[in-house]
Amino acid sequence: MSACSKPPEPAASTPTPTPADTVATPTPQELWKEKGNWRKLNKGMNKEEVTQLLGDPGSIKVSSYEKWFYPSGAYVEFDSNKVVGWSEPLSFLP
């Protein structure tokens, strides 16, 4: 009589995350793409706080006030180094 043996059961493995499962963390230069970051802006914030939220601007224009420009038509205006106004990007990228 031959002994019956069961085939070995596959070892449990951790599923590999798919692109849909992973959440990309924006780089400092992509922070401006996050709608939630724009919604955290407040008048009176300083430049360091804005940089932490939105990253460095693409360009800066200085006149009687300072205006930081971001892609997609977005900008932040400063007077005496404090936020006085802004415009969110025309569209947010996924």
Side-chain angles (χ1 to χ4, degrees):
M1 213 167 167
S2 64
C4 285
S5 62
K6 290 175 141 182
E9 292 189 25
S13 64
T14 305
T16 305
T18 64
D21 295 335
T22 58
V23 176
T25 302
T27 65
Q29 294 309 316
E30 296 176 328
L31 293 171
W32 68 270
K33 294 179 181 180
E34 300 292 323
K35 184 185 290 189
N37 290 345
W38 287 92
R39 303 294 163 86
K40 294 176 187 174
L41 278 176
N42 287 301
K43 289 184 177 182
M45 292 178 100
N46 64 40
K47 293 177 183 178
E48 183 179 334
E49 292 169 315
V50 173
T51 301
Q52 288 175 349
L53 276 178
L54 304 177
D56 293 323
S59 65
I60 298 172
K61 180 181 177 185
V62 179
S63 59
S64 58
Y65 58 92
E66 189 168 326
K67 195 170 189 177
W68 289 10
F69 293 93
Y70 292 88
S72 194
Y75 63 84
V76 179
E77 293 178 326
F78 297 88
D79 188 14
S80 300
N81 296 317
K82 300 291 182 184
V83 173
V84 294
W86 63 89
S87 178
E88 294 181 357
L90 299 174
S91 63
F92 290 97
L93 303 176

